[in-house]
Amino acid sequence: MKVTFDGDICKHTGECVKRSPEVFKVIDGNMVIDTSQEPDDNIRATVAKCPTGALKCVDE
């Protein structure tokens, strides 16, 4: 699974970072997503809580 991030619609509420800090990190002002750090179901649950829809799951 891959997660995409749209910085143009993100409101920076930090829900993703709070819920899955090992997966979603902001490094030097850039979103870094490492889906190997949690099971897909956990990541999908975090993505579903994104208030703007800036995060999307894409099955590979």
Side-chain angles (χ1 to χ4, degrees), residues 10-21 24 31 45-52 55:
C10 178
K11 298 290 184 197
H12 308 286
T13 62
E15 287 301 313
C16 55
V17 176
K18 291 176 204 166
R19 292 175 177 276
S20 297
F24 301 97
M31 175 62 83
T46 297
V47 168
K49 295 293 184 179
C50 178
T52 63
L55 297 171

Side-chain angles (χ1 to χ4, degrees), residues 32-52:
V32 177
I33 302 169
D34 183 357
T35 58
S36 71
Q37 297 299 311
E38 283 189 20
D40 287 357
D41 289 344
N42 291 5
I43 296 169
R44 286 182 196 282
T46 297
V47 168
K49 295 293 184 179
C50 178
T52 63

